[in-house]
Amino acid sequence: MINFLLLPILIPLMTGVLLIFFPKHIKWQRWIAGIFSFITIIVSTMLVQKVKTDGIQTLDVSSWDAPFGITLVSDMLSALLVLTTSIVAFACLLFSFRSIGEEREKFYYYPCYSFLIVGVNGAFTTGDIFNLFVFFEVMLMASYALMVLGGTKIQLRETIKYLLVNVISSALFVITVAYLYSVVGTLNMAHISERISEVGQPGIITVIAILFLIVFGLKGAIFPLFFWLPDSYYAPPVPVMALFGALLTKVGVYSIMRTYTLFFYHDTGYTHQILAILAILSIIFGVIGAIAYWDIKKIIIYNIIIAVGAILFGVSAMTPDALTGSVFYLIHDMLIKAALFLLVGVMIAISGTSNLKDISGLIKRYPGLAWTFFISALALAGIPPLSGFVGKLLIIKGGFEAEQYWGAAIVLMSSLLILFSIMKIFINGFWGTPRAYEGEEKVPVKTLMIAPVVLVTISVFYGVGSEVIFPYISQAAETLVNPEIYIEAVLKER
Amino acid sequence: MKTNDLILQTTTKVVVFIILLFAVYIFFAGHYTPGGGFVGGLLTSGAIVLLLLAFDLKTLQNFLPFNYIYMIAIGLLFSIGTGAGSLLFNVPFLTHAFTHIDLPILGDLSLHTATLFDLGVFLVVVGVTMTIIQTIGGDE
């Protein structure tokens, strides 16, 4: 079936549309959303296998040949990201069932949720720069709705900020695409890359590269464009926050990866140097934030910025090792951030507060929660058998190979401080004298724990079984290192 | 005190049909001349808004008892269904087909599945516009 790579976009889209018809039947909403979300996981696993055996999959939508119509391209990187997205989406959905509350569920929570997945999967799969913009908007509109849904005061305030920032960055995106179109005269990504290599990246293309960095940096929260993220992600309920933290910024990161390896690789001296500096500064500022706060949600939120910095540092080094490391770390980070947000959500559900100073001694009564949190904390910091290790190792190795000694050293040092920030939660929240919290008996801890345990298990396998995973990752990085593969797959006849 | 809006209401009753007719014309003309689902939908909801201005919300809901949110979903189903229909024939998504049909009175008609896609756009536009206006206007 030639439309196979479309299914991870089409299935959530159909789910979202179907769920609009009966908003008040919560049970049906949950079942249908859950089942179709699971089918999406199966389909994207099959897609990964198909890309592995048959090479890059392309689909010329509505039968128009490559540069003229919209092309959807599933190379290994996007197939893996689609699979990770589906897994994270399913886990957060499981968590939503027990924690989001009927009031929100009755007002189109699950349709918005499905449309968000459509946007993310579409952004990962598309091979057309304007189509990327459209999928960004699909994702963002759904995220506005999910962020404001419920209508508490803090949500309203933060949604206004989030909306303003994203409307401005989307306008800048359109302007940037307009500049690019007026220079190269095409929107198909492979064709753009070919045209740019024909003219050999003159000054105007470098300007466009920096504009793209600003646009995607605003979406993906790099220094100094991350200012909106800590407050905005603080506002929505936990499963939504986990979904945003795991997926939304990573779409921006993926777009930087794609554009900087496919379009702007001819004159790396300027653009990639700026990317490296900004990535390092993101790590430093993220670390400062993660250490400074005594609020468990804030600590995890600042860890998003650190991870974005580490991944983009790998991209800026542009060596095969560094790119492989970036892909490895990107997928690891999506899984582990979702798991950590959900675990923090369970802690907040039990204790009723996110202030670390008001929580202590949780390990006595909730050992399962404590040890799951401990494992995911070690994975986040990159302790050897776990999933964060291989990615960061390769990023640092690539950094040294590219003679970015300072940057690689800072990535290395940041691990220590990440470990410190996350162990602060573990030591203060789980050790110490147990306290009684109001209404903790009512919290369904066992059912809430299913989703984070699943995610942590997957991430442990991802780390321990990196030998098995590695061929997939290196196939993904191969396309990044060598854009010719991508171009040939899309523009077949030339 | 109730103002006398007899002239407004009588004119509306005549004008609404002209606008609706124009909307349908614009919708079907879309393939060969400027127009299509989006403007057609906006014109249709313009006509409904005119009714809303001349009468009140309750009268309108009695007169046109649509659930506009369902209308959005049905429109989306039309558009996605037209696209997904191509999955059955194993051609790329959204591949359209057309045919010529000779009807006795209307003559040579070219029927295109893109019209069904446009019908979906039309329904979504009407649904979204009316949902926005009725939700804001209906707030007590």
Side-chain angles (χ1 to χ4, degrees):
Chain A
M1 187 158 121
I2 51 177
N3 286 300
F4 195 72
L5 69 115
L6 191 80
L7 290 182
I9 307 172
L10 197 60
I11 292 171
L13 182 59
M14 281 307 266
T15 319
V17 174
L18 282 181
L19 291 178
I20 294 177
F21 284 103
F22 43 89
K24 309 291 178 212
H25 298 83
I26 296 173
K27 215 167 225 173
W28 283 98
Q29 294 259 326
R30 287 177 184 168
W31 273 104
I32 292 180
I35 289 171
F36 279 101
S37 183
F38 192 72
I39 293 176
T40 315
I41 295 182
I42 297 171
V43 167
S44 19
T45 317
M46 286 157 72
L47 181 62
V48 168
Q49 275 309 326
K50 194 164 175 158
V51 175
K52 175 79 181 155
T53 48
D54 302 350
I56 297 178
Q57 300 288 308
T58 63
L59 172 69
D60 296 328
V61 173
S62 65
S63 307
W64 291 102
D65 284 339
F68 305 114
I70 290 170
T71 311
L72 298 179
V73 186
S74 222
D75 64 343
M76 192 42 113
L77 176 62
S78 68
L80 282 174
L81 289 176
V82 164
L83 174 61
T84 320
T85 303
S86 310
I87 292 171
V88 169
F90 183 66
C92 291
L93 197 65
L94 282 184
F95 197 87
S96 304
F97 292 160
R98 279 321 185 111
S99 70
I100 199 76
E102 290 199 355
E103 281 307 308
R104 285 192 169 92
E105 285 175 304
K106 275 184 186 162
F107 280 91
Y108 304 99
Y109 176 75
Y110 295 115
C112 290
Y113 194 97
S114 306
F115 290 137
L116 185 85
I117 306 305
V118 174
V120 176
N121 278 351
F124 285 146
T125 313
T126 186
D128 183 288
I129 197 79
F130 197 75
N131 204 231
L132 178 70
F133 168 76
V134 174
F135 276 121
F136 258 106
E137 286 305 301
V138 171
M139 174 185 95
L140 288 172
M141 299 263 169
S143 74
Y144 303 151
L146 284 178
M147 187 174 263
V148 81
L149 190 65
T152 59
K153 202 171 173 185
I154 179 173
Q155 280 179 301
L156 292 175
R157 191 182 66 218
E158 295 309 330
T159 309
I160 288 176
K161 274 190 215 167
Y162 180 70
L163 216 151
L164 266 176
V165 167
N166 278 305
V167 165
I168 290 168
S169 78
S170 296
L172 195 58
F173 195 171
V174 175
I175 293 167
T176 313
V177 171
Y179 279 143
L180 186 63
Y181 185 66
S182 68
V183 175
V184 297
T186 179
L187 290 172
N188 182 296
M189 289 203 210
H191 203 210
I192 290 173
S193 172
E194 204 179 54
R195 288 268 171 93
I196 288 178
S197 59
E198 275 167 21
V199 293
Q201 199 160 345
I204 182 74
I205 298 281
T206 306
V207 172
I208 291 169
I210 296 299
L211 279 173
F212 267 124
L213 185 64
I214 295 171
V215 170
F216 296 136
L218 264 168
K219 314 270 187 201
I222 63 175
F223 175 86
L225 307 166
F226 68 85
F227 56 87
W228 55 273
L229 182 128
D231 290 335
S232 293
Y233 279 18
Y234 194 79
V238 171
V240 175
M241 189 170 66
L243 201 65
F244 284 12
L247 303 181
L248 295 196
T249 52
K250 304 307 181 292
V251 181
V253 173
Y254 164 80
S255 307
I256 292 178
M257 261 175 149
R258 191 55 94 194
T259 48
Y260 270 60
T261 55
L262 188 62
F263 299 171
F264 310 118
Y265 59 93
H266 303 283
D267 182 17
T268 55
Y270 186 68
T271 50
H272 287 59
Q273 197 60 44
I274 283 187
L275 184 62
I277 292 168
L278 292 184
I280 292 303
L281 285 173
S282 313
I283 294 176
I284 293 173
F285 277 78
V287 159
I288 293 173
I291 295 175
Y293 279 95
W294 279 87
D295 186 299
I296 47 181
K297 281 204 255 179
K298 276 270 160 71
I299 294 174
I300 313 288
I301 287 171
Y302 274 98
N303 268 298
I304 299 177
I305 300 167
I306 307 173
V308 166
I311 297 164
L312 288 181
F313 177 72
V315 176
S316 75
M318 281 295 270
T319 62
D321 272 341
L323 285 170
T324 316
S326 285
V327 177
F328 216 100
Y329 200 76
L330 179 58
I331 292 166
H332 143 79
D333 193 64
M334 287 166 83
L335 291 169
I336 208 72
K337 280 287 143 57
L340 275 170
F341 272 118
L342 295 181
L343 287 167
V344 160
V346 178
M347 285 172 74
I348 292 171
I350 291 169
S351 64
T353 173
S354 63
N355 188 349
L356 194 51
K357 289 181 174 160
D358 293 339
I359 310 172
S360 71
L362 284 178
I363 199 168
K364 274 269 156 49
R365 235 170 310 157
Y366 306 100
L369 173 66
W371 293 117
T372 318
F373 188 89
F374 185 71
I375 294 171
S376 56
L378 293 186
L380 183 75
I383 305 294
L386 296 166
S387 59
F389 173 68
V390 184
K392 205 166 252 180
L393 179 73
L394 286 170
I395 289 176
I396 291 165
K397 189 178 165 212
F400 279 124
E401 277 170 2
E403 300 183 347
Q404 303 257 17
Y405 299 113
W406 273 106
I410 286 173
V411 174
L412 201 58
M413 294 288 284
S414 73
S415 291
L416 205 64
L417 296 170
I418 292 171
L419 189 66
F420 172 72
S421 72
I422 202 90
M423 276 304 146
K424 191 164 91 178
I425 300 180
F426 185 74
I427 291 172
N428 290 290
F430 288 99
W431 290 356
T433 45
R435 291 188 202 183
Y437 303 102
E438 226 172 288
E440 66 177 309
E441 307 82 28
K442 285 184 203 148
V443 180
V445 178
K446 286 229 168 71
T447 40
L448 284 181
M449 281 300 290
I450 297 173
V453 166
V454 167
L455 283 175
V456 171
T457 317
I458 292 173
S459 100
V460 167
F461 276 117
Y462 184 73
V464 175
S466 46
E467 199 80 6
V468 185
I469 312 279
F470 197 76
Y472 295 90
I473 306 283
S474 65
Q475 191 185 346
E478 201 182 354
T479 327
L480 295 180
V481 178
N482 199 350
E484 288 301 316
I485 305 172
Y486 186 97
I487 297 170
E488 263 167 37
V490 176
L491 308 169
K492 289 156 202 118
E493 70 275 22
R494 288 184 244 185
Chain B
M1 196 191 96
K2 182 108 171 68
T3 47
N4 191 346
D5 44 12
L6 184 68
I7 296 178
L8 177 66
Q9 292 189 346
T10 317
T11 332
T12 302
K13 283 174 193 166
V14 179
V15 167
V16 159
F17 285 103
I18 301 172
I19 300 178
L20 282 178
L21 213 62
F22 186 52
V24 173
Y25 167 73
I26 282 272
F27 172 72
F28 280 112
H31 199 74
Y32 295 111
T33 54
F38 189 77
V39 261
L42 277 184
L43 268 171
T44 309
S45 33
I48 303 174
V49 169
L50 186 60
L51 281 175
L52 202 55
L53 286 176
F55 301 93
D56 60 313
L57 191 60
K58 226 167 227 163
T59 322
L60 186 77
Q61 278 168 346
N62 284 334
F63 178 56
L64 296 169
F66 297 136
N67 183 337
Y68 288 106
I69 293 179
Y70 286 174
M71 194 186 256
I72 299 172
I74 292 169
L76 283 171
L77 276 184
F78 261 103
S79 295
I80 302 166
T82 319
S86 55
L87 262 67
L88 298 177
F89 303 101
N90 205 28
V91 286
F93 186 73
L94 274 176
T95 303
H96 288 288
F98 70 97
T99 178
H100 286 274
I101 288 183
D102 243 343
L103 285 180
I105 301 166
L106 297 168
D108 181 38
L109 277 181
S110 58
L111 299 179
H112 202 297
T113 49
T115 313
L116 287 176
F117 188 88
D118 239 20
L119 183 64
V121 176
F122 178 90
L123 289 174
V124 170
V125 169
V126 174
V128 168
T129 322
M130 291 320 295
T131 309
I132 293 172
I133 289 171
Q134 288 199 355
T135 317
I136 296 174
D139 227 20
E140 293 300 319

